[in-house]
Amino acid sequence: LSYMSEYRVHLFFVVLLVIVSAAAQVAGTYLMKPLIDQYIVPLIGRQSPDLSRFIAILLSLGGIYAVGALASYGYSRIMLKVSAGTLYKIRNQLFTHMQTLPIPYFDTHTHGELMSRYTNDTDTLREMLSQSLVQLISLTISVTGVFVAMLILSPVLTLLVVVMLAIIL
């Protein structure tokens, strides 16, 4: 995290966009219930149904998913910049450190072994920074949002799910 200190503003926007993306995903899922219950089911069997309200909610649902997709694109682009800059610092520090190592160290460790470690470790860090960190935040927000939506829709069913989950665990 100390390597990422100059990217605090970027990371703030990443967290903000992750929250927007996760909220859009939860809101889109939550809107499926009224879409089906209030707009699709009442239209079944009608000769000439009024589709204006149905189309309006479909457009709002599409707008919500579009905002979520744009937020996902935004945080992905920002995290690419943050991870590239952070790894640039790490690689420079590794290279500088490698130049200060004594010659006998290189006699006991092959050059390929050292470079393989550096390459694999920095690649793992790149993957963690650009994907895993963001996914952890996103999934935490999504699970929390889905749980809140479950409580709003049916507290009894939510309690049953939590009890069953405890039994399974």
Side-chain angles (χ1 to χ4, degrees):
L1 291 176
S2 65
Y3 288 104
M4 299 171 70
S5 63
E6 74 180 58
Y7 297 105
R8 286 186 186 126
V9 173
H10 292 83
L11 293 173
F12 171 76
F13 283 112
V14 165
V15 171
L16 187 67
L17 289 173
V18 166
I19 290 170
V20 168
S21 174
Q25 183 180 10
V26 171
T29 305
Y30 181 75
L31 277 179
M32 289 295 176
K33 179 189 181 290
L35 178 70
I36 293 170
D37 292 346
Q38 298 172 6
Y39 298 103
I40 293 177
V41 173
L43 296 177
I44 295 175
R46 291 197 178 167
Q47 290 294 335
S48 58
D50 180 23
L51 297 177
S52 60
R53 292 175 55 202
F54 177 67
I55 292 172
I57 197 165
L58 277 180
L59 289 174
S60 64
L61 190 62
I64 289 171
Y65 281 127
V67 166
L70 286 173
S72 295
Y73 177 76
Y75 74 68
S76 296
R77 294 292 297 180
I78 294 171
M79 278 309 291
L80 283 174
K81 181 177 180 172
V82 170
S83 64
T86 303
L87 287 176
Y88 179 76
K89 284 184 193 177
I90 292 172
R91 285 186 179 118
N92 279 340
Q93 188 175 2
L94 285 172
F95 182 72
T96 304
H97 179 70
M98 191 180 215
Q99 288 179 326
T100 62
L101 292 174
I103 297 294
Y105 182 81
F106 292 102
D107 291 339
T108 58
H109 298 85
T110 62
H111 185 67
E113 177 187 347
L114 294 173
M115 293 311 294
S116 176
R117 283 189 188 166
Y118 284 175
T119 303
N120 289 339
D121 290 350
T122 55
D123 191 45
T124 302
L125 278 173
R126 178 194 55 80
E127 190 172 314
M128 191 256 328
L129 288 174
S130 64
Q131 295 175 0
S132 301
L133 190 63
V134 173
Q135 285 180 350
L136 179 67
I137 296 168
S138 178
L139 289 175
T140 302
I141 294 168
S142 293
V143 167
T144 305
V146 167
F147 185 74
V148 169
M150 287 172 57
L151 280 173
I152 292 170
L153 290 172
S154 175
V156 174
L157 196 55
T158 304
L159 180 65
L160 179 67
V161 168
V162 170
V163 168
M164 293 306 292
L165 186 61
I167 291 171
I168 289 172
L169 290 176

